[in-house]
Amino acid sequence: YPSIQMVIDIHRDAAADANGAPVHYTADIGGEATAQLMLVIGTDEGGLSHPGWRDNLGWGLKLQAVLNRMYPGLCRSIDLRTERFNQHLTPGSLLVEVGASGNTLREALAAARDLGEGLAALIEGT
């Protein structure tokens, strides 16, 4: 599918506190508890070829800017990693962590809705 311009790999963060208990990341978006999003961008720092990682980072920064403008507090900091996460296979590839293992389904669904709206706004150029 050479026409694909973007691939979004959606996960939840498996973060745990010092005691191993699941954590949750939330933001108050319009009075609703919403799981926070974190964009994960792979690089070539681990030694494997990934010449387009800076382009993916640019795409992630644009998406994060749109989301932060529309939903302040929704995004955690971008996580720049040494792994590729198969992001070298398609330009515009991003991994999105929707909350963490401690978040509720309701919080995750609220974040997914906001992510979709932010993606639509970015794609439409608004």
Side-chain angles (χ1 to χ4, degrees), residues 47-69:
L48 297 174
S49 176
H50 186 5
W53 75 266
R54 287 175 185 83
D55 293 333
N56 290 350
L57 175 60
W59 184 247
L61 289 167
K62 289 176 187 175
L63 176 58
Q64 187 172 44
V66 167
L67 290 168
N68 283 336
R69 185 174 61 248

Side-chain angles (χ1 to χ4, degrees), residues 6 16 19 26 36 38-39 48 54 62 101:
M6 179 189 331
N19 296 320
T26 58
Q36 286 186 300
M38 181 174 68
L39 305 180
L48 297 174
R54 287 175 185 83
K62 289 176 187 175
S101 53

Side-chain angles (χ1 to χ4, degrees), residues 1-48:
Y1 299 100
S3 63
I4 291 175
Q5 298 179 20
M6 179 189 331
V7 173
I8 307 294
D9 186 6
I10 298 180
H11 293 249
R12 68 167 171 79
D13 198 336
D17 66 17
N19 296 320
V23 298
H24 66 281
Y25 300 107
T26 58
D28 182 331
I29 306 296
E32 181 178 18
T34 303
Q36 286 186 300
L37 304 175
M38 181 174 68
L39 305 180
V40 180
I41 310 294
T43 69
D44 58 6
E45 288 297 313
L48 297 174

